[in-house]
Amino acid sequence: MATKDATVADLQQKFEESSAVLLTEYRGLSVAELRELRNSIREHATYAVAKNTLTKIAANNAGITAFDDELAGPSALAFVHGDTVAVAKALRDFAKAHPLLVVKAGYFDGNALTAAEVGKLADLESREVLLAKAAGAMQAALVGAAQLFAALPAKAARGFGALQEKQDA
């Protein structure tokens, strides 16, 4: 009983500290494949296998009911502490190579996610790419403004030059 309480407390803490949680079913994966999966998401998440009843209790204690209907069969959770999109991509890519891994649901930013929504999350570009695109757009706007401001004095100088020529003639 004490170990179950400790497990529930540990899971509840992980739910509360994670920026997102992705629920998977791993039926049929070998220990080596699970190790490979853990290694692929280690930078941004921890992957934990837990009993469904204990997971449900811990999630409910943390105020999350998103997984109540999905906790059936051998389930494991990816507790995200880094880039959620990167973890979703890693799970999607791993599932393509190992069809026995199934992403069942997710919880992100206070909202429950279906498996399809987790897939859409995986289709997003990484944070770095989005930041680079935003920086590029801002730089282009600044360059355009600089060119505009540089062109105004030159245009004025040409206008004054033409006016002076007209007066001299």
Side-chain angles (χ1 to χ4, degrees), residues 84-90 92 117-125:
T84 304
V85 173
V87 175
K89 283 179 191 283
R92 179 197 60 198
E117 290 169 331
V118 174
K120 287 180 184 176
L121 191 62
D123 292 338
L124 290 176
E125 292 175 330

Side-chain angles (χ1 to χ4, degrees), residues 135-149:
M138 286 190 288
Q139 183 182 13
L142 290 174
V143 167
Q147 289 173 343
L148 174 68
F149 292 134

Side-chain angles (χ1 to χ4, degrees), residues 9-164:
D10 182 47
L11 286 171
Q12 181 179 345
Q13 182 180 4
K14 286 180 180 177
F15 273 111
E16 292 169 349
E17 292 175 351
S18 299
S19 58
V21 181
L22 303 175
L23 178 67
T24 64
E25 181 176 317
Y26 65 93
R27 184 188 321 265
L29 290 176
S30 69
V31 173
E33 290 168 333
L34 284 173
R35 187 179 321 113
E36 179 186 341
L37 174 58
R38 279 188 176 98
N39 288 337
S40 71
I41 64 173
R42 177 168 281 134
E43 182 181 348
H44 300 288
T46 56
Y47 193 70
V49 174
K51 291 185 180 275
N52 291 335
T53 53
L54 301 180
T55 300
K56 184 175 179 178
I57 292 168
N60 289 340
N61 288 348
I64 299 170
T65 57
F67 304 130
D68 288 358
D69 297 334
E70 299 292 338
L71 289 168
S75 300
L77 299 151
F79 293 101
V80 181
H81 51 76
D83 187 354
T84 304
V85 173
V87 175
K89 283 179 191 283
L91 289 174
R92 179 197 60 198
D93 296 345
F94 189 87
K96 283 181 184 176
H98 305 88
L100 296 174
L101 179 76
V102 178
V103 177
K104 295 166 53 171
Y107 183 80
F108 177 60
D109 200 24
N111 298 306
L113 301 175
T114 63
E117 290 169 331
V118 174
K120 287 180 184 176
L121 191 62
D123 292 338
L124 290 176
E125 292 175 330
S126 71
R127 182 176 187 272
E128 291 78 18
V129 170
L130 292 174
L131 287 174
K133 284 185 176 183
M138 286 190 288
Q139 183 182 13
L142 290 174
V143 167
Q147 289 173 343
L148 174 68
F149 292 134
L152 288 175
K155 194 171 184 180
R158 283 192 300 273
F160 290 136
L163 183 63
Q164 178 134 18

